[in-house]
Every structure is written in C-alpha cells, then in structure tokens.
C-alpha cells in the first residue's frame, strides 16, 4: 500500500481475467510487466476465485498490484461444485459480471485513480461494451496461440465451414492441417456446444478493440501474426512466464503468484534433487483436462514400464482413477503429487521431458525452459498445439492413440524412451534450447515482445 502511494503511475489498467488457472496465469504475469513499466494495475477476478485461491511467491510486483472482485453469480460456492452447466454458468457470468464490472468502474472513477484502459480476456467479449460505455479503450488479451485464434476467426467469419469435409485444411500463415490437428470443438463438432460458442464468440467484437494482445512471441508464430496484423492492431507480448525463467528483470519473480490448487513444491524439489540430469519424465495434464479411466490406467502402466523415473501430477479430482496400489508399487521409481510449481519443476535439471496435454501455457513454459515434450492432447486447442510442437517448432513428439482414441501403455513407454534416449531426443532438446533462446530474446529489453508492451503503453498514454 505504501509503495503504491509513493509511485507516480503513467496510466491505470484494469486487467480482467477469465476464472481458470490457465487464464489467470498469463494475465497476472502481464500485469506484473505493466507494473514494472510504471503502469498501475488493478487485477479483477471473481469473488469465488478470490476466496479460494492460494497466494504464492513473495514477488515484489505482486505487492503493488491491487486486487478487486466482481460476481459471476456464484460467489459462495463454485459453479463446478454445484454441477451447473457450462452454458448456464457463462450466462450467469455475463449477467452478474456486466453489472458488477460496471459498478467497479464507477467506484474507481470516483477514487482519484480512474481507469485508463480495460484489458480483458478474449474468452469474455462483453467487457468491451462496458468499457466503451465508460469511454475507456479496451485491449483484448488472447490466451491461446495465434494459430488457434486464426482458425477460430476463420470459423467466425464463415470462411471455414463446419462440419469439416476436407481432408486437408489450408489457412493463411499456417502449414496444411489435417482435421485432427484442429481444435476439438471443430474436429469433433458438436462435442461441447457451449465452449464452441465461447471460443468462436471471442471474435464477435474484436474489430472494435483498441489493441489485440496475444500471449505468444513474434518469432514463434511470425507468419500467422503477420496475417492477423493485416486486420487488427496485434501486439505479441509473450511468453508471459515469471521473470526468473526468462529475463530475470523482476525481483523474486519465480511463480505466477496465484494457485487454484494447493501445491506440494517442497516435496517435488526434494525428490528431484536426488536424481541426475535429464533422468525424470514430468507428467501433467493441466488444470482442467479429465482423462478417462482406461486412459489413466494405460498411462500409469506405461510409466511403470518405462526405464526412467517419473514425477506425475494427478489433481485430487482425478486421483480415484489411478490404479490401485500403483503408488505403493512405484515408490522407487516415481512421485505422484496433486499439484506442483510447474515452472520450478520444468527448470530443474533432473527433468528430461514433459508429457503434457499441450495446454498453451504448458507449451510456452516448456519451450521457454528448453524441455522437449511428448504431446497427449485431450481437447480444445491442444491438438493444434501438439501439431506445432511436433511439425513446426520440432520440440517434441506426439503419442499415437489407437483406434479407440487411447494412448496405450506400450506407446507411453516408447515415447518416453524415444525422447529421453538416443538421437531423436538429442535433436529435440537442441531445438527446444534454440526456442528457449528466442523466447528469452523476445522478452529481453528491446526484444519483440518488450517493444510491443512499450508501444502499447505509449499509445495508451497518448489517448
Ligand atoms: N500448473 C501448475 N502446476 C501443476 C500443473 C499446472 O502450476 O501441477 C500450471 C502450469 O504452469 C500452467 C497452468 O497451470 O501455467 C496450466 O495452463 P495450461 O494452459 O497448460 O493448461 P490448462 O490448465 O488451461 O488446461
């Protein structure tokens, strides 16, 4: 509080996140970067998230970021616990969120520190209307890759017709794609109608946004970024990874700072410290993916069969699917935890590969830390990320599912040995290190993302 009063800020941004881990992380990290550059940030999340989140790190930037809450209509108990449908939740979020966001803007406009810009998560397009009503410019923040954004935008414009009929899909700025490389909401059209509407709805008013911020970096998605920049004021500002792992310009910044799950970091670090370089496979499917019972069993047995050691994150809600006695039978070989500090784990020298669902944050984190990946995409944008991981950036492989869509134990074992041992693994690691270097350059002073953030702030101040 004291620090806030002493500082003179260039502008004040209200940063509004969609309430899930994979969305809070990049927007919170972006907030820290704005704060470092002299912009006051007020981060907005839902009352329920605020009540239930765990605060991490002692990062000094977090001390100066104010936190405010709005309602999604489920302040006391989370919508997931209550078994509310996705559509009903999104409707409620829009209704209660619009009202309480307007009240918050009103409150701040009378506070002596009015808001100069609303940065809002693209998953919710409606905050832009509210910002415009208050005469405030809006910056939409895309948390997924530009490749994925480009695909959804083509669907929104009716340029990519659904259900898919062609065996090869050609889109500007992108390599030829097979239907299975597309996000699951398109390749498995009708599978999640509410989420389909959500991801396509991101583009309904993007033309009216004053800035289009993307959590990627120019060098990673050059062609598709150039294509999107023909229509929108696109600014790549990522990867939004805690500073310690990239440019080290923010003091003590070693984690995002907000966890929706309780982490057991010390146990992980202690365990990893006992293992030699590149000897451990790290496995995590992020904060939301739910594996089927059979897939979980096959994965577990594949890990057990593999030669190396493993560190496996199984969220509490998934734990019942782990085969009976698996943990007891593998104590010599592996550690199973319910959540960890993923960045700290990926940065540990013992970790030799990341078996992942290919969530966008996990992809960027692994790439930024030079860790090769084994992709086992589950749904949403993950198949497209897996395609780029394997064929475009060449930093990993993709596990092959059988005709039932299950990655069997032998395939799990095969993928681990391919990436941890031998020539292929070495090549992938070398490529991953090359991307790590480029990611670092992008966020370093004068790098493409750093310059874009400066330009964003400059244009904001001039308004
Ligand atoms: N994460 C973490 N600990 C874990 C697993 C995941 O801190 O044990 C973080 C991870 O670093 C990433 C986020 O959770 O920032 C997951 O985002 P991602 O986009 O990869 O997947 P999602 O959860 O959105 O499916």
């Amino acid at each position: 509080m004291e620090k806030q009063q002493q500082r003179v800020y260039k502008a004040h941004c209200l940063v509004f996140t969609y309430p899930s881990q994979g969305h809070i992380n990049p927007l919170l990290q972006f907030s820290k970067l704005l704060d470092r550059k002299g912009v006051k940030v007020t981060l907005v999340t839902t009352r329920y998230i605020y009540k239930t989140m765990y605060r991490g790190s002692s990062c000094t930037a977090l001390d100066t970021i104010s936190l405010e809450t709005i309602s999604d209509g489920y302040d006391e108990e989370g919508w997931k616990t209550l078994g509310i449908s996705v559509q009903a939740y999104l409707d409620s979020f829009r209704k209660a969120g619009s009202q309480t966001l307007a009240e918050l803007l009103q409150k701040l406009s009378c506070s002596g520190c009015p808001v100069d810009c609303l940065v809002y998560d693209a998953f919710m397009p409606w905050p832009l209307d509210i910002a415009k009503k208050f005469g405030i410019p809006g910056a939409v923040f895309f948390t997924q890759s530009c490749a994925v954004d480009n695909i959804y935008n083509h669907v929104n414009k009716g340029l990519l017709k659904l259900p898919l009929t062609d065996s090869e899909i050609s889109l500007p700025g992108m390599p030829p794609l097979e239907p299975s490389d597309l996000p699951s909401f398109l390749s498995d059209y009708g599978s999640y109608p509410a989420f389909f509407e959500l991801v396509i709805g991101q583009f309904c008013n993007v033309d009216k946004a004053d800035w289009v911020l993307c959590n990627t970096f120019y060098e990673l998605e050059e062609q598709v970024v150039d294509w999107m920049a023909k229509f929108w004021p696109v600014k790549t500002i990522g990867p939004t990874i805690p500073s310690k792992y990239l440019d080290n310009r923010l003091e003590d910044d070693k984690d995002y700072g907000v966890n929706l799950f309780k982490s057991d970091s010390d146990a992980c670090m202690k365990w990893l410290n006992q293992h030699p370089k590149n000897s451990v496979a790290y496995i995590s499917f992020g904060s939301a993916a739910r594996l089927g019972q059979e897939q979980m069993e096959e994965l577990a047995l594949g890990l057990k069969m593999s030669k190396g050691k493993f560190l496996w994150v199984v969220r509490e809600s998934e734990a019942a699917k782990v085969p009976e006695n698996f943990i007891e039978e593998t104590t010599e070989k592996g550690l199973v935890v319910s959540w960890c500090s993923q960045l700290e784990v990926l940065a540990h020298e013992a970790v030799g590969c990341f078996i992942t669902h290919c969530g966008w944050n996990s992809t960027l984190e692994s790439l930024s830390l030079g860790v090769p990946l084994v992709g086992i995409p589950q749904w949403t944008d993950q198949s497209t990320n897996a395609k780029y991981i394997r064929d475009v950036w060449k930093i990993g492989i993709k596990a092959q599912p059988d005709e039932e869509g299950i990655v069997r134990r032998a395939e799990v074992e095969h993928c681990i040995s391919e990436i941890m041992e031998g020539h292929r693994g070495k090549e992938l690691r070398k490529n991953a290190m090359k991307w790590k270097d480029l990611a670092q350059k992008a966020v370093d002073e004068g790098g493409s993302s750093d310059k874009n953030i400066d330009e964003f702030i400059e244009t904001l101040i001039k308004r």
Side-chain angles (χ1 to χ4, degrees):
M1 201 59 191
E2 212 172 286
K3 274 183 211 150
Q4 262 176 353
Q5 282 162 359
Q6 284 165 1
R7 283 177 74 178
V8 177
Y9 290 102
K10 294 177 180 166
H12 181 192
C13 282
L14 199 65
V15 177
F16 184 23
T17 70
Y18 181 81
S20 76
Q21 189 77 61
H23 289 250
I24 293 171
N25 285 358
L27 280 139
L28 174 55
Q29 198 57 33
F30 182 62
S31 300
K32 293 183 203 165
L33 297 175
L34 289 179
D35 178 84
R36 183 183 69 197
K37 288 176 183 282
V39 173
K40 176 176 169 56
V41 178
T42 301
L43 188 77
V44 185
T45 189
T46 63
R47 290 179 189 148
Y48 179 74
I49 292 285
Y50 183 76
K51 241 176 42 186
T52 53
M53 70 192 195
Y54 301 93
R55 284 166 206 244
S57 136
S58 54
C59 169
T60 41
L62 265 186
D63 300 344
T64 52
I65 292 172
S66 316
L67 257 176
E68 290 279 356
T69 58
I70 52 109
S71 177
D72 58 5
Y74 297 95
D75 298 347
E76 298 310 318
E77 222 174 320
W79 65 282
K80 286 185 187 150
T81 330
L82 291 168
I84 305 295
S85 74
V86 177
Q87 191 56 60
Y89 174 70
L90 293 173
D91 292 344
S92 163
F93 191 15
R94 185 187 186 117
K95 195 160 166 252
S98 298
Q99 191 188 328
T100 47
L101 181 63
E103 285 164 11
L104 175 62
L105 282 168
Q106 186 62 42
K107 179 182 102 177
L108 293 171
S109 72
C110 309
S111 70
C113 193
V115 174
D116 301 302
C117 174
L118 177 67
V119 179
Y120 61 98
D121 191 315
F123 267 29
M124 312 162 297
W126 45 265
L128 183 61
D129 299 334
I130 299 164
K132 297 281 169 187
K133 271 191 203 140
F134 279 80
I136 297 167
V140 58
F141 188 108
F142 283 93
T143 58
Q144 296 183 327
S145 77
C146 282
V148 168
D149 299 334
N150 190 36
I151 297 170
Y152 288 150
N153 183 44
H154 274 76
V155 174
N156 182 54
K157 290 219 154 64
L159 299 169
L160 179 59
K161 298 258 187 293
L162 298 172
L164 300 165
T165 46
D166 295 340
S167 56
E168 190 178 289
I169 294 114
S170 298
L171 295 174
M174 301 180 64
L177 301 171
E178 290 177 18
S180 60
D181 298 326
L182 261 53
S184 68
F185 306 137
L186 314 189
S187 58
D188 192 6
Y189 184 47
S191 53
Y192 288 91
F195 282 127
F196 173 82
E197 294 297 330
L198 175 82
V199 294
I200 303 304
Q202 296 182 100
F203 299 90
C204 67
N205 60 0
V206 66
D207 295 337
K208 294 191 195 126
D210 298 276
W211 297 272
V212 174
L213 307 174
C214 300
N215 183 21
T216 186
F217 57 104
Y218 179 69
E219 294 74 10
L220 188 65
E221 296 195 88
E222 207 171 312
Q223 288 171 341
V224 74
V225 172
D226 284 343
W227 167 255
M228 284 168 54
K230 290 182 203 258
F231 316 108
W232 303 318
V234 171
K235 296 217 173 295
T236 51
I237 50 79
T240 55
I241 309 272
S243 184
K244 180 183 169 198
Y245 306 101
L246 279 177
D247 56 349
N248 221 352
R249 288 196 286 162
L250 262 180
E251 209 185 318
D252 303 328
D253 188 35
K254 62 182 173 59
D255 61 30
Y256 291 100
V258 166
N259 266 308
L260 306 187
F261 304 86
K262 199 163 173 34
S263 152
D264 202 351
S265 245
D266 288 350
C268 291
M269 287 303 118
K270 239 184 183 168
W271 187 85
L272 285 172
N273 286 341
Q274 297 164 13
H275 295 98
K277 198 169 172 187
N278 291 340
S279 65
V280 174
Y282 167 64
I283 307 99
S284 166
F285 287 79
S287 63
R290 282 173 300 183
L291 271 62
Q293 177 72 43
E294 203 176 351
Q295 179 61 83
M296 199 78 165
E297 280 167 16
E298 291 294 329
L299 177 59
L301 296 173
L303 295 177
K304 198 169 171 184
M305 278 159 61
S306 70
K307 274 203 218 129
K309 309 275 173 171
F310 64 84
L311 169 56
W312 186 12
V313 177
V314 180
R315 297 190 318 273
E316 246 170 59
S317 57
E318 295 281 288
K321 297 178 205 162
V322 175
E324 220 182 325
N325 300 328
F326 174 80
I327 295 181
E328 296 74 19
E329 285 164 15
T330 54
T331 41
E332 294 292 305
K333 220 177 139 48
L335 179 69
V336 179
V337 295
S338 62
W339 195 251
C340 70
S341 166
Q342 179 159 298
L343 283 156
E344 230 180 321
V345 168
L346 288 173
H348 199 289
E349 64 163 18
V351 172
C353 77
F354 182 11
I355 303 180
T356 170
H357 67 315
C358 305
W360 185 235
N361 294 294
S362 294
T363 303
L364 283 178
E365 289 163 10
S366 207
L367 182 145
S368 301
L369 288 161
V371 179
L373 306 119
V374 177
I376 309 188
Q378 299 297 305
W379 71 319
T380 173
D381 58 338
Q382 295 153 17
S383 306
T384 314
N385 299 338
K387 160 77 183 168
Y388 272 70
I389 286 169
R390 186 187 60 192
D391 294 338
V392 179
W393 306 316
K394 299 185 169 54
I395 54 172
I397 53 179
K398 184 177 162 191
Q400 192 57 43
D402 68 2
E403 54 291 344
E404 287 171 58
I406 294 182
V407 174
R408 297 288 166 190
R409 63 194 80 171
E411 175 69 359
V412 173
E413 184 198 18
H414 167 73
C415 286
I416 295 177
S417 81
E418 188 169 355
I419 207 158
M420 299 282 272
E421 301 154 22
H423 180 68
R424 183 91 195 273
K426 272 197 196 119
E427 277 296 302
L428 295 170
R429 188 160 296 115
K430 214 169 92 192
N431 287 339
M433 292 310 283
K434 182 192 91 183
W435 283 111
K436 173 187 158 109
D437 195 40
L438 288 170
Q440 205 163 333
K441 287 202 171 97
V443 298
D444 251 334
E445 200 165 351
S448 57
S449 294
D450 186 63
K451 270 209 281 212
N452 282 341
I453 299 176
D454 286 341
E455 278 170 25
F456 164 63
I457 297 170
E458 269 166 41
T459 49
L460 168 60
I461 297 170
K462 281 196 196 129
R463 275 175 166 263

